[in-house]
Amino acid sequence: MTGEPAAASTDRMKIFISYSRDDVNFADQIVLALQDRGFEPLLDRHDIDSGEKWRDRLGGLLLSCDTVLFVLTESSAGSPVCEWEVEEAARVGKRMIPIVPHQIDSVIPPVALAGLNWIHFYSDGKLPGSGWYDGLTKLERALRVDVDWLRAQTRMS
């Protein structure tokens, strides 16, 4: 016995991770961190079988997730597949959170991400306490907070 009922996994928040293959190591670390915190990360390398129509499956994964994390780097910002994932997530109304593993200069993010607050996972001398742990803490807080519900509660009170 594993100690966790099989049905419990369906209750976990599903997080789709959009990333460039150049950023696979960072994406894998995010997967482990999310699993450790009780989330269910979805990653194309783990959740698409060989021979499967990948774009159809990616669309299904995006539709089934609660939130999309976009690993924003030079490579992902220039990737047609990553851009399609962001456009598709926006089209179906998914919440998106851009996460940045390292300093990026003059990167133009996909349009749907440009106006969102980014979570940085690297140390920045101008931001005391910044780094991997700070980024992970901010990400977990963002995933656990239903911003629209909180703001609706504030308006009603």
Side-chain angles (χ1 to χ4, degrees):
M1 296 192 104
T2 62
E4 182 179 325
S9 68
T10 60
D11 294 338
R12 296 186 304 162
M13 182 183 289
K14 293 180 182 175
I15 313 296
F16 180 84
I17 301 168
S18 177
Y19 68 100
S20 163
R21 294 289 184 185
D22 292 341
D23 307 311
V24 68
N25 291 329
F26 180 80
D28 285 345
Q29 292 301 306
I30 290 295
V31 165
L32 294 172
L34 290 173
Q35 288 172 335
D36 191 43
R37 284 154 181 77
F39 297 102
E40 184 177 340
L42 305 173
L43 198 65
D44 62 351
R45 287 188 347 267
H46 303 162
D47 296 294
I48 299 178
D49 291 323
S50 299
E52 197 169 8
K53 291 183 178 180
W54 64 269
R55 192 175 291 247
D56 291 346
R57 180 63 177 145
L58 279 178
L61 290 172
L62 286 165
L63 197 56
S64 73
C65 76
D66 300 299
T67 298
V68 174
L69 294 185
F70 186 83
V71 178
L72 181 57
T73 63
E74 295 87 352
S75 296
S76 64
S79 164
V81 173
C82 290
E83 183 177 5
W84 176 84
E85 289 172 349
V86 169
E87 289 171 358
E88 185 65 12
R91 186 185 70 76
V92 297
K94 295 298 175 175
R95 174 173 67 162
M96 291 185 276
I97 301 174
I99 57 176
V100 185
H102 57 267
Q103 180 73 38
I104 52 176
D105 297 315
S106 65
V107 168
I108 299 173
V111 174
L113 301 178
L116 299 176
N117 197 20
W118 303 352
I119 298 175
H120 299 97
F121 277 76
Y122 60 90
S123 295
D124 183 340
K126 298 174 190 169
L127 301 171
S130 61
W132 171 263
Y133 184 79
D134 180 60
L136 187 57
T137 301
K138 288 176 180 174
L139 175 58
E140 184 174 11
R141 185 171 53 239
L143 290 171
R144 295 197 187 280
V145 171
D146 184 340
V147 175
D148 291 333
W149 182 85
L150 286 177
R151 291 191 177 134
Q153 288 297 101
T154 300
R155 282 191 302 274
M156 287 191 278
S157 62

